[in-house]
Amino acid sequence: MSQSEINLYESAVRQWNAAADLMALEPWIRTILGQPKNELMIHFPVRMDNGDYRLFKGYRVQHNNILGPYKGGIRYHPDVHIDEVKALATWMTFKCSLSGIPFGGAKGGVQFDPKQHSEGELRRLTRRFTHALGTNIGPEYDIPAPDMGTNAETMVWMMDTFLNAFSAQNRYSQSGVVTGKSIECGGSEGRDKATAQGAVFTLEEWASDNNVDLSKATTVIQGFGNAGSWAARLLHERGTKVLATCNSRDAIYNDKGIDVPALLDWYDQGRELGHFGGAETISMEDFWKIKCDLLLPAALENQITSRNAEAIRTRVVAELANGPVTPAADRMLASQGIDVIPDILCNSGGVIVSYFEWVQNKKSENWELEDVDQKLSKRIRKAYRAVAAYRDQARVSDRTAAYCVALRRIQAAYRQRQIFP
Ligand code: NAD
């Protein structure tokens, strides 16, 4: 596997450029999209529990905002680096465009392992990072959300830190500065499951096109965090058998199907996935070889590569993670007749419901879960249909079709607005 196969930013550029070539995107628009608008790299100190001070490195990359305020998650992970954040920010631009929501693309992160820190250290780090970001974020400018290693609690700490820079009179007009907050602190119903729920809606569309009965299907899910565990729960509720799942430590397998509610109960109590009694532990090498109907990478990027793509035996790869399939593996999966629901479509439920949260914050409204689910369903199915129509008409992959649909909207906005002056 070559280094270029796993350079995430190169992969992102290659993906959208293939679409730009196909649709003959105007060269000046290609130039503008060629690099992020802003790349912020900050070092900030945090006081540790033992009284020591440690310096952390944080990033915020703002790729493009022609369609609206920058929008994108914050990742806490030891491998966070500038090329990764640039790739993730670029994907957000296309994801928001494809979903038809009025946001641009951004992403941020801090390079450290959150599992090695106490709650107090995580809170102080998040507050210092938010303070260091300062006016580079804001409800009408750039709106962070959770990603790997961050959650609703992290977003509430970010919001609270940001709000405290405003006078009491203006404070609550700013609560849309982040999305993915807890319900009590201004979050939306359905945001916790949104990424997985959106993916399930896309799988329903795929299943109806391919005569697959999801209630008789089998699935394998890589990652058991927010996206992966919710996907396991929602698919299990639809009758799909979850044969295997894993986290960064263990992979588990049960050929009769894992009892997902029992596993969630076990895991929520802070117990090890690998010690769950209802499944056997297996190696990651064997994990990728399991025969299933739906394969859901829901962990991190570059997981399906030229090394393991050939061994994969599934009908569809639904990309809950961002960038889990390298371009080389993409070609291999296509030649094996395996469909791929691309990340900018498949996992867009998260940002779609983030948009709903932002709208609710602006209007001081609280929507019912059924309303959120129904609005998400409508929007993501519409995006799926637009991608499928483009794919059939242009005879390209779903990924290239998704970028073409996204680029069409961005191109229209640039043509109408031009650049100032
Ligand atoms: P998370 O931190 O909640 O969960 C990540 C999971 O992946 C954990 O179970 C972790 O143990 C596992 N993992 C990490 N490294 C692994 C490895 N090497 N092998 C196997 N498992 C590994 O993160 P999340 O929010 O669920 O995000 C997962 C993916 O989904 C990321 O790519 C993220 O960008 C994408 N995503 C998340 C959202 C969201 O709303 N949370 C939205 C869109 C896309």
Side-chain angles (χ1 to χ4, degrees):
M1 192 167 52
S2 69
Q3 197 53 34
S4 74
E5 182 180 349
I6 54 166
N7 183 308
L8 213 57
Y9 187 59
E10 266 182 42
S11 297
V13 170
R14 219 181 290 177
Q15 286 170 350
W16 77 259
N17 271 279
D21 291 344
L22 183 80
M23 62 183 282
L25 184 77
E26 293 208 26
W28 65 278
I29 299 173
R30 192 194 289 248
T31 302
I32 292 171
L33 295 174
Q35 285 294 339
K37 284 203 170 181
N38 304 308
E39 295 177 26
L40 189 68
M41 194 187 299
I42 45 193
H43 295 97
F44 56 97
V46 180
R47 186 169 41 78
M48 298 287 105
D49 289 343
N50 66 4
D52 288 351
Y53 285 75
R54 204 179 126 187
L55 208 56
F56 286 83
K57 189 194 275 283
Y59 304 91
R60 186 71 182 168
V61 172
Q62 296 163 332
H63 178 256
N64 188 271
N65 62 349
I66 188 72
L67 297 175
Y70 298 110
K71 182 87 191 86
I74 298 280
R75 179 172 288 196
Y76 288 172
H77 193 275
D79 296 338
V80 166
H81 62 90
I82 189 67
D83 270 0
E84 179 188 68
V85 185
K86 278 173 72 172
L88 291 163
T90 307
W91 281 322
M92 284 306 293
T93 297
F94 296 106
K95 196 182 297 183
C96 293
S97 177
L98 177 60
S99 322
I101 56 180
F103 285 143
K107 204 81 181 192
V110 184
Q111 191 186 71
F112 81 109
D113 184 356
K115 291 201 278 287
Q116 305 301 320
H117 293 269
S118 68
E119 188 189 314
E121 288 181 347
L122 290 175
R123 191 174 57 240
R124 290 195 295 279
L125 181 148
T126 301
R127 287 194 184 279
R128 290 291 317 184
F129 181 46
T130 308
H131 182 70
L133 287 170
T135 54
N136 290 292
I137 57 172
E140 301 297 333
Y141 181 59
D142 183 358
I143 306 143
D147 191 72
M148 267 184 80
T150 58
N151 53 27
E153 199 173 34
T154 325
M155 293 306 113
V156 169
W157 294 331
M158 287 192 84
M159 178 195 74
D160 188 72
T161 308
F162 190 83
L163 256 52
N164 270 291
F166 289 81
S167 68
Q169 281 82 1
N170 296 320
R171 208 160 276 168
Y172 284 103
S173 62
Q174 303 294 315
S175 56
V177 62
V178 288
T179 56
K181 303 179 287 286
S182 65
I183 303 284
E184 297 76 14
C185 294
S188 175
E189 294 287 348
R191 175 59 184 88
D192 46 2
K193 64 164 182 160
T195 304
Q197 183 66 75
V200 171
F201 289 145
T202 65
L203 278 166
E204 285 175 357
E205 294 297 309
W206 172 86
S208 88
D209 283 356
N210 290 278
N211 294 320
V212 171
D213 180 352
L214 287 182
S215 69
K216 296 200 175 74
T218 55
T219 186
V220 167
I221 304 174
Q222 187 207 21
F224 205 67
N226 172 282
S229 69
W230 269 107
R233 182 188 308 205
L234 296 172
L235 284 170
H236 177 82
E237 283 168 5
R238 288 191 104 284
T240 306
K241 248 189 219 168
V242 179
L243 298 179
T245 188
C246 71
N247 62 10
S248 53
R249 236 181 250 178
D250 302 300
I252 59 170
Y253 171 66
N254 180 337
D255 64 352
K256 308 236 166 3
I258 293 171
D259 179 347
V260 175
L263 177 62
L264 286 165
D265 201 34
W266 173 268
Y267 205 58
D268 285 349
Q269 291 172 34
R271 302 198 217 164
E272 296 280 335
L273 198 72
H275 294 168
F276 177 63
E280 58 177 298
T281 54
I282 54 168
S283 69
M284 274 314 284
E285 205 185 331
D286 289 341
F287 179 88
W288 292 115
K289 292 182 187 159
I290 299 169
K291 187 168 186 290
C292 59
D293 300 308
L294 330 167
L295 177 60
L296 276 54
L300 65 175
E301 55 268 8
N302 291 334
Q303 295 303 294
I304 301 178
T305 68
S306 54
R307 278 208 189 123
N308 59 358
E310 213 177 325
I312 284 171
R313 289 178 300 154
T314 189
R315 295 192 62 177
V316 64
V317 173
E319 294 184 328
L320 274 99
N322 287 302
V325 178
T326 65
D330 225 4
R331 289 190 293 275
M332 292 168 72
L333 294 178
S335 70
Q336 289 158 228
I338 297 172
D339 291 338
V340 175
I341 307 178
D343 46 10
I344 62 167
L345 171 63
C346 186
N347 70 35
S348 62
V351 75
I352 293 173
V353 177
S354 272
Y355 164 58
F356 297 159
E357 179 175 332
W358 183 75
V359 171
Q360 289 172 78
N361 289 164
K362 261 174 159 334
K363 297 174 150 183
S364 298
E365 285 183 2
N366 280 323
W367 300 350
E368 301 286 333
L369 178 60
E370 300 77 62
D371 292 345
V372 172
D373 279 350
Q374 192 213 338
K375 285 184 165 77
L376 168 62
S377 167
K378 196 169 164 195
R379 199 171 273 272
I380 203 163
R381 289 182 203 276
K382 187 172 165 197
Y384 187 99
R385 285 291 136 218
V387 170
Y390 202 105
R391 172 200 65 206
D392 293 344
Q393 168 249 314
R395 297 179 173 276
V396 289
S397 68
D398 284 273
R399 194 184 307 283
T400 298
Y403 280 101
C404 287
V405 174
L407 277 169
R408 220 165 37 187
R409 181 166 170 234
I410 293 169
Q411 175 160 269
Y414 270 116
R415 275 182 178 155
Q416 289 165 38
R417 285 177 63 171
Q418 300 287 310
I419 61 163
F420 177 83

